[in-house]
Amino acid sequence: MKLRTLFLAAALAGLAAGAVTAAEPQEVREGLMKKIGGSMGALSAIAKGQKPYDADVVKASLTAISTSIKAFPNQFPAGSEANSEASPKIWENKADFDAKAASLGADADTLLAQLPADPAGVGAALGKLGPHCGDCHQVYRVKK
């Protein structure tokens, strides 16, 4: 009987912990955007000469952008509009929103395959990635 009680208690504790740690879609997408923004900032610092070129930082930043943007469109289930900077236009034109995310992901993957080798290359990479951010934010982000 004690073993059964212990098992049940452990199972309930696991369920409770899962419920506490489950993040709302708004929190997940904000976290993903912060990863992308931080990665863009790291690349920008290299391109501007504020930080020395570091292939590991470039690779990690491009990888973070690629993986984050690929997960991003899945964080917009119906009903998750409240308490966020997400425009209702996302749900009105989800196919375009998803396509914009996929395009950024594809460009990040292309840059990963041919990693920029110096600050000028990182600057060129930013020139390719940056417009994606502006295009999407102009349409799909509510301005504060």
Side-chain angles (χ1 to χ4, degrees):
M1 184 68 167
K2 284 186 179 182
L3 184 59
R4 183 175 178 195
T5 302
L6 287 172
F7 178 77
L8 181 60
L12 289 174
L15 286 174
V20 170
T21 60
E24 293 294 322
Q26 297 92 334
E27 295 168 344
V28 173
R29 54 191 188 231
E30 284 177 17
L32 291 169
M33 277 292 107
K34 285 180 182 181
K35 284 182 185 177
I36 292 171
S39 296
M40 292 292 282
L43 293 172
S44 179
I46 291 171
K48 292 177 181 178
Q50 297 167 339
K51 298 279 184 174
Y53 176 84
D54 184 331
D56 291 336
V57 170
V58 173
K59 185 175 182 179
S61 296
L62 291 171
T63 299
I65 292 166
S66 174
T67 57
S68 295
I69 199 62
K70 289 174 185 169
F72 193 66
N74 298 328
Q75 303 307 315
F76 292 85
S80 67
E81 306 87 276
N83 301 319
S84 82
E85 296 177 20
S87 169
K89 293 178 183 178
I90 291 171
W91 292 271
E92 294 167 6
N93 198 356
K94 188 76 164 70
D96 181 62
F97 178 76
D98 292 351
K100 287 182 184 307
S103 182
L104 173 55
D107 281 349
D109 288 345
T110 298
L111 292 165
L112 271 168
Q114 293 190 336
L115 200 66
D118 57 26
V122 173
L126 284 170
K128 188 167 187 136
L129 299 175
H132 289 288
C133 300
D135 288 346
C136 202
H137 283 193
Q138 290 298 319
V139 178
Y140 296 116
R141 183 177 184 201
V142 174
K143 292 162 188 59
K144 289 184 178 183

